């Protein structure tokens, strides 16, 4: 990223030059990813502000207000918090004096929303003599959302028990 007006007086490099957060469950926040900003030319430059768009947020920032001389660095970090499923994009823009463009960093991530689907939401059993076991009824659990659904342990209560259970620990 070049800047400085009359010729190239400073060059800011961003490492990495893009952030991709991959898949993140809707309603949760990703771990922060850090970006290092470096001035690789002779003249100094002061970073005024960082602006961010999309479903992303600045997690930490030691660049705002920093004067970078040649080969000096600062860093900031970004988090992703999707509010719905699907591909999301955004940008972090580094500005001088809140209006002059210095650099931009593309952001990407995908909101995922795994969801439980059941083949039956209730079961009705015929009357049963005490001490006997009824015929088994099957309920199929599926993932009807986006992203992987991690199943922990299914429990059942009352006078009922699982005949078979292949869901515990499954990834759907």
């Amino acid at each position: 990223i070049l800047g400085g007006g009359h010729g190239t007086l400073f060059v800011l490099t961003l490492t990495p030059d893009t952030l991709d957060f991959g898949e993140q469950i809707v309603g949760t926040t990703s771990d922060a990813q850090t970006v290092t900003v470096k001035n690789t030319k002779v003249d100094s430059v002061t970073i005024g502000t960082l602006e961010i768009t999309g479903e992303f947020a600045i997690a930490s920032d030691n660049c705002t207000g920093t004067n970078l001389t040649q080969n000096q660095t600062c860093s900031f970090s970004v988090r992703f918090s999707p509010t719905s499923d699907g591909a999301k994009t955004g940008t972090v823009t580094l500005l001088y004096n809140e209006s002059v463009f210095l650099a931009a960093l593309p952001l990407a991530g995908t909101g995922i929303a795994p969801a439980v689907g059941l083949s039956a939401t209730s079961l009705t059993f015929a009357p049963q003599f005490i001490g006997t076991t009824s015929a088994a009824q099957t309920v199929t659990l599926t993932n009807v959302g986006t992203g992987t659904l991690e199943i922990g342990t299914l429990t059942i209560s009352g006078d009922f028990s699982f005949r078979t259970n292949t869901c515990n620990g499954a990834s759907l």
Side-chain angles (χ1 to χ4, degrees), residues 96-132:
Y96 171 75
N97 285 343
E98 298 183 10
S99 62
V100 178
F101 174 87
L102 295 175
L105 177 76
L107 307 171
T110 302
I112 59 170
V116 171
L118 297 173
S119 61
T121 57
S122 66
L123 300 175
T124 302
F125 291 88
Q128 195 71 33
F129 289 109
I130 294 174
T132 63

Side-chain angles (χ1 to χ4, degrees), residues 19 35 56 62 87 92 107 116 119 133 140 143 148-149 152-153 172:
L19 293 181
V35 177
F56 303 88
N62 74 358
V92 175
L107 307 171
V116 171
S119 61
T133 302
T140 302
N143 179 3
T148 302
L149 176 63
T153 303
L172 305 176

Side-chain angles (χ1 to χ4, degrees), residues 5-94:
H6 302 287
T8 304
L9 302 178
F10 62 86
V11 175
L12 294 180
T13 58
L14 305 179
T15 306
D17 60 3
T18 186
L19 293 181
D20 188 340
F21 289 85
E23 293 183 339
Q24 184 70 30
I25 294 175
V26 170
T28 66
T29 300
S30 71
D31 290 336
Q33 292 189 33
T34 300
V35 177
T36 300
V37 180
K38 182 177 184 179
N39 180 7
T40 60
K41 286 291 188 180
V42 177
D43 285 358
S44 66
V45 61
T46 299
I47 298 175
T49 59
L50 303 179
E51 291 184 353
I52 193 162
T53 63
E55 297 180 22
F56 303 88
I58 301 295
S60 66
D61 171 17
N62 74 358
C63 289
T64 295
T66 301
N67 183 44
L68 296 179
T69 59
Q70 184 178 22
N71 293 322
Q72 278 191 314
T73 63
C74 65
S75 62
F76 62 90
S77 61
V78 177
R79 292 179 193 250
F80 175 44
S81 301
T83 59
S84 61
D85 62 344
K88 310 294 180 186
T89 60
T91 304
V92 175
T93 304
L94 288 74

